[in-house]
Each structure stands twice: as structure tokens, then as C-alpha cells.
Amino acid sequence: MCIRDSLRSALRFLAQSYTEGIFSFEGVEHEGKVFTYLEWGALIDKNFERHFWIPKDSAEWENYRIERKWVQQTGIYKDVIGATDPATEYRFRPNIAIALSVAPEMFDKEHARCVINKMQEELITPTSLGIKTLHPADK
């Protein structure tokens, strides 16, 4: 998740810097069209949930890009997409904490709360000094 959320954070910073007159470029040009940093960020926000969220209720899965055979846990965000081993996409990783902190605008608030609760229940224990890097099911 780290590259995408870092990109989203950078786009927010560049858009704000442009608005404040600190940065002189409004966006980037691609195939003859200029995309502002705000537009680019909005595209990420619009598509993020559909590609990464795995709802608890499987009846909702048709609204998301999910390969049912790889789902091991629900109520999580995929760690990556397009992995060589598709099973790795569907693992619950602590990287989501970084994404939530640097690019909160990408996330549905209720889904974010669900993931934070799940992290507290499954990735942090009373005896741990920090958050686990692997979910107990990922051995």
C-alpha cells in the first residue's frame, strides 16, 4: 500500500502548494490532456475502495473487484493488487495503518473504523511492543 498512499499524500500537498502559489504547476499532461493534482487525487479516491476493500458481507462483493477463491478474511483492505501470487493480495497487513494516516481521504470512514478495530483485535496483543507484521493466519 505504501506507494499509492504516498502518491495520494503527495498529490494533496502539490495541489495545496499550487493553490497557495508556492508551486507553479497545476498538474501533469498525459496524452494531450492536463490532469490537475486535484483531479488525479480524486481518481485515486474514486477507485480505491472498489479495488481494495473486501466487505464482511459477501453479498456486497459484486460491487468490488474480488476473486472469491482467494479471500481468507473479510472486513479488510487488500495489501496489493496485481501480485504474481494472487493469494498475497488478500492478506491483512499492518501497512494499512500507514495508508490510513498519510492518505485518509482514500478511505470510507466506516471501513476504516472496521479495519482499525480489526488491527486492535488481531495485530496488537497485550504483550506486544508494537503491531504484528503478519496476521496469525499468514504463517
Side-chain angles (χ1 to χ4, degrees), residues 54 70 72-73 76-80 85-94 134-135 137-139:
I54 304 171
W70 301 115
Q72 299 170 17
Q73 297 183 65
I76 66 168
Y77 286 96
K78 294 178 196 173
D79 190 43
V80 297
D85 177 2
T88 62
E89 297 181 24
Y90 294 83
R91 293 190 176 144
F92 186 39
R93 297 280 193 258
L134 291 173
H135 187 274
D138 293 332
K139 297 194 186 233

Side-chain angles (χ1 to χ4, degrees), residues 7 22 31 40 42 48 50-51 55 67-68 74 77-78 80-81 94 102-103 110-111 115 119 122 130 132 137:
L7 169 63
I22 299 168
E31 297 181 353
W40 191 356
F48 178 77
R50 185 168 53 95
H51 287 274
E67 290 187 52
R68 293 175 179 268
T74 60
Y77 286 96
K78 294 178 196 173
V80 297
I81 57 173
V102 300
E110 288 303 314
H111 297 167
V115 167
M119 284 183 354
E122 300 178 18
K132 294 178 183 180

Side-chain angles (χ1 to χ4, degrees), residues 119-132:
M119 284 183 354
Q120 290 174 327
E121 294 167 4
E122 300 178 18
L123 297 179
I124 300 171
T125 62
T127 58
S128 62
L129 296 175
I131 193 165
K132 294 178 183 180

